[in-house]
Amino acid sequence: MEVTERIATPPAVRADVGRLLVLELSGGRIFSVDTEGRNKRVLVTDCYLPDGIAVDAGRGHMYWTNMGDPKKNDGSIERADLEGGQRCTIVPPGGTHTPKQLQIADDKLYWCDREGMKVMRCNLDGTDVETLVSTGSGDDDSRHPRNWCVGIAVDPVDRLFYWTQKGGDNANEGRIFRAALDMPAGASPADRPDVELLYAGLPEPIDLELDLEHRMLYWTDRGDPPRGNTVNRAPMDIAARDRAATEIVCSDLMEGIGIALDVAGGRMFITDFGGNVFAAALDGSHKRVLMFAQGNLTGIACAPAAGR
C-alpha cells in the first residue's frame, strides 16, 4: 500500500508567538497583550461588533469580521497592519450577512456567516467572494439556530474545511461538519454530496482550531455545563465507526468563544464572553487566567511580538 506523507505547514506566526490580538465585542475594539496578559494596547476602535480575527504575519496584516446588526444584513470584513494602521474595508457592509470566525489558508479568507447560513471565502483583497456551503435561505430558515454557521477551520494539507452549526441556546443540537475545499463536480453550496457530519448533540459549539502537527480538532462551547463552557478536542482522522466521545480539556469558562493555538509552544489561548483570557497547555493542563473583566470578548489570534 502506498503511503502519502503529510507535510503540515501551519502559518509561520504559530512558531513565533509574542502577543495576542483580542476582539472586545462590547467596546467595539481590538487590543493587543503579550502572552502573559500584560502590556495592553488598544490597536483599533469603532468596530461594528467584531467577532473573528486572523493574522497574516508574512504580509503584516490582521483581518477581522464585523457582525453588524443581523436584522440589517450589514456585516463586513476589515484589514489593518499589525499595529492597527492602514485600516481598510475589503468586504463591504452587506457583502456578508453576519460574519463570525475567520481563518486564512492558501491566500484566501474563510469565514462562517451565521444568519446568512453560509460558509464563505474570498481573496485576501476581498475579491471573488464565494459560498462554499449554504444551510438555508430566506427569513424562515434564518430564524432557526440549527442552520447557523459559526466556527471555521481549514486543513490545507488534506484540502478540507470544518465548521460548526451551533443550534439553539443549550439545545444540545450543535454539530461539527467538514467538506472538501474543492467543490465536487456538479454540486452546489446547498447540495454537496461530500459534507460529512463529524459530531452531533453538542451544547453550543462555537470557534474551531486545528493542530495540524498532531492532527487534532479543537473547539469552544458556550453552552451550559457540564459539557458546555468548555474547550474540547478530538482526532481529525478517526473513521466514523471508531469515533469516540469528544474530550473536554478545559472547563469553567463563562461562555467560551475564541481559541488560538500556539502548537510550537505547546499551548492554547481562550477568550470567553465573561471577559476572561486564559492560557493552557494543549492538553488543557496548567490552565490560568491572563486577564479578567475585559468586556465581552470574542475572537483571539496569535501574532508576532510588536515591532517584528
Side-chain angles (χ1 to χ4, degrees):
M1 179 179 66
E2 181 181 356
V3 177
T4 301
E5 181 183 3
R6 283 195 180 93
I7 302 175
T9 55
V13 64
R14 300 276 166 85
D16 184 25
V17 175
R19 58 180 174 147
L20 307 172
L21 303 181
V22 182
L23 298 181
E24 183 190 333
L25 180 81
S26 50
R29 59 186 185 171
I30 303 171
F31 65 83
S32 168
V33 293
D34 66 24
T35 56
E36 293 299 319
R38 303 168 303 199
N39 302 316
K40 179 177 178 180
R41 294 188 300 123
V42 175
L43 303 178
V44 180
T45 59
D46 298 319
C47 302
Y48 191 17
L49 299 178
D51 189 271
I53 184 167
V55 167
D56 181 349
R59 296 177 177 87
H61 289 151
M62 61 176 164
Y63 297 81
W64 68 94
T65 60
N66 296 303
M67 289 191 296
D69 183 343
K71 296 179 181 178
K72 296 181 179 179
N73 187 8
D74 59 357
S76 64
I77 300 177
E78 294 188 70
R79 183 185 72 204
D81 64 37
L82 294 178
E83 299 306 311
Q86 299 182 325
R87 180 178 179 178
C88 63
T89 299
I90 61 168
V91 177
T96 177
H97 193 137
T98 322
K100 301 289 283 180
Q101 192 182 12
L102 182 71
Q103 300 280 8
I104 300 173
D106 290 344
D107 293 332
K108 294 273 189 179
L109 294 174
Y110 291 80
W111 70 94
C112 277
D113 185 327
R114 191 178 63 190
E115 275 81 2
M117 301 169 288
K118 294 179 175 68
V119 180
M120 306 181 74
R121 71 180 173 191
C122 70
N123 295 330
L124 294 179
D125 62 1
T127 58
D128 294 334
V129 175
E130 59 182 318
T131 298
L132 299 176
V133 171
S134 176
T135 63
S137 62
D139 291 342
D140 287 343
D141 285 349
S142 70
R143 293 189 185 100
H144 297 285
R146 183 176 172 84
N147 296 326
W148 290 356
C149 304
V150 177
I152 179 80
V154 181
D155 176 3
V157 179
D158 282 357
R159 297 201 57 76
L160 297 167
F161 64 96
Y162 296 69
W163 75 96
T164 63
Q165 291 176 217
K166 84 174 201 71
D169 293 349
N170 301 302
N172 293 310
E173 61 182 16
R175 294 168 291 168
I176 300 176
F177 298 86
R178 72 179 167 196
L181 287 175
D182 305 302
M183 182 78 72
S188 70
D191 183 18
R192 293 188 59 146
D194 63 328
V195 170
E196 180 183 5
L197 173 62
L198 298 179
Y199 296 102
L202 305 176
E204 286 183 73
I206 305 297
D207 283 3
L208 290 168
E209 277 286 298
L210 299 180
D211 174 354
L212 295 178
E213 180 178 343
H214 304 103
R215 304 296 296 173
M216 296 292 289
L217 169 69
Y218 287 76
W219 67 94
T220 54
D221 194 301
R222 68 179 295 181
D224 283 346
R227 293 193 302 144
N229 280 321
T230 54
V231 174
N232 306 261
R233 71 176 180 181
M236 294 168 58
D237 304 318
I238 298 297
R241 64 180 179 274
D242 300 322
R243 213 167 277 152
T246 62
E247 177 187 4
I248 295 174
V249 294
C250 285
S251 56
D252 299 317
L253 306 179
M254 296 178 65
E255 296 192 62
I257 303 290
I259 181 170
L261 302 184
D262 172 18
V263 175
R267 57 188 174 171
M268 67 174 115
F269 301 96
I270 311 145
T271 54
D272 67 22
F273 217 57
N276 302 299
V277 180
F278 300 93
L282 290 176
D283 64 1
S285 62
H286 307 294
K287 176 189 163 198
R288 57 199 175 95
V289 178
L290 302 181
M291 307 179 77
F292 64 93
Q294 299 296 310
N296 300 133
L297 303 183
T298 48
I300 184 170
C302 298
R308 297 192 64 176

